[in-house]
Amino acid sequence: MATINENFLKLKAGYLFPEISRRVRAFSAENTGKKIISLGIGDATQPLVPAIVEAMKKAVADMADKVTFRGYGPEQGYDFLIEAVIKNDFNPSGIDLNRSEVFISDGAKCDTGNIQEIFGLNNIIAVTDPVYPVYVDTNVMAGRTGQADKNGHYGKIVYMPCTAENNFTPDIPAQKVDIIYLCFPNNPTGGVVTKEVLKKWVDFARSNKAVILFDAAYEAFITDPAIPHSIYEIDGAKEVAIEFRSFSKTAGFTGVRCAFTVVPEQLQAWTQDGGAVKVNSLWNRRQCTKFNGASYISQAGAAAVYTAEGKKQCRQIIDIYMANAAVIRESLTKLGYDVYGGVNAPYVWMKTPAGLSSWDFFDRLLQKANVVGTPGSGFGPAGEGYFRLTAFAKPDDVKEAMQRFAAVR
Ligand SMILES: *Cc1c(COP(=O)(O)O)cnc(C)c1O
């Protein structure tokens, strides 16, 4: 008899985006011809820039020629990309990395989801609330969390609420935790942390032998020069932190697939009896066993992000998204809403008006303005009463959506 991994039965149904689609479909069926504008899903909408397209075309040509054809690449990624990453993303802020510390992959979703495999099942996990669901669900599948309560909180996870009251900055937990997931700039709140705050986390992890899993997928959207782009800008972070980055939002790679994870050689975790083990070696072993490398064509495209042309062109795309964010912020502020984020992140997080629940506001916005956003409660109970709007839309659609917003209250 084949039995299943019953931890999967503890997962709460993937409810948020299917439920949004269901409600949008129902509305469209009753209101044919009405143009619905989506500021809902966090997916790139601008096409790949020419520098990337040219590099990928050349890579395809390489694959079409028996002299330059490539089969399996290194599981850790090609040196040409690893070197470009270190030189452009880390060295300028004074961070030195060895090539062995950068692992190229096909996505930060997979990496943030897979990383928990190399840690013991008895670790206490800490996550923010609201949170990117991947961190929680992969720990549920592994059996680290226990059952969910009626709020959707799992018994063995430590939740760190992030609300307007604490400026969307998680407090250091009072109880012992071993593995801490942090995402800054944050999806969904658009919040960021200063170096001082990040230093507190690094110090906490160092004194508790904990590990920080730092998701920096949105670092390219930071506009304030005082905000750190990498956790390794903090002294001592290499001893306690893994950092995840992605080309998805930075270069429009959501459909191309390329990302990377930094696992410093200095980072250690521990056996039950206190022996130190290099986490880098475990991740390398895990990747070599279960992953055969990201596509050569994707990696060639990603390397073009770091050319002079690529940098300039990708920056223009990010500027388009961030101009959208500014339009959303300013329009909603003028309309009297409480608005957060959208300055160093492509997400605007707003309080729902008049104490409406996140879903009630979703329905009202869909009905009255034909605009779709994401209910904050879908990211965790502390997101109730909030609503997420993304800046990943066409500028004209954003402007029109904001005009329609005026009709909502
Ligand atoms: C979009 C996103 C990613 C990137 O995922 P990919 O698999 O690289 O496309 C990672 N983390 C967060 C929080 C995200 O929103």
Side-chain angles (χ1 to χ4, degrees), residues 42-43 105-112 131-135 183-188 215-218 244-249 253-255 257-260 347 388 392:
D43 190 0
S105 75
D106 59 357
K109 184 183 198 176
C110 334
D111 288 354
T112 56
V131 68
Y132 182 56
V134 175
Y135 316 149
C183 173
F184 290 106
N186 189 261
N187 176 11
D215 186 342
Y218 295 97
F244 303 92
R245 296 228 187 157
S246 173
F247 297 98
S248 282
K249 315 301 167 30
F253 269 45
T254 48
R257 313 306 303 145
C258 197
F260 62 91
Y347 296 109
R388 190 189 78 173
F392 292 113

Side-chain angles (χ1 to χ4, degrees), residues 188-223:
T189 69
V192 286
V193 280
T194 60
K195 280 190 186 159
E196 291 67 36
V197 169
L198 210 46
K199 182 176 185 314
K200 282 188 194 149
W201 282 101
V202 168
D203 292 347
F204 172 82
R206 290 176 80 187
S207 50
N208 290 276
K209 294 189 166 173
V211 170
I212 298 172
L213 303 176
F214 191 75
D215 186 342
Y218 295 97
E219 61 76 30
F221 294 83
I222 292 172
T223 55

Side-chain angles (χ1 to χ4, degrees), residues 20-21 73 123 139 182 215 245 287 329 333 392 394 400:
I20 290 174
S21 309
N123 285 298
N139 278 289
L182 296 177
D215 186 342
R245 296 228 187 157
Q287 289 299 79
R329 273 185 66 87
T333 305
F392 292 113
K394 303 205 171 72
E400 190 178 340

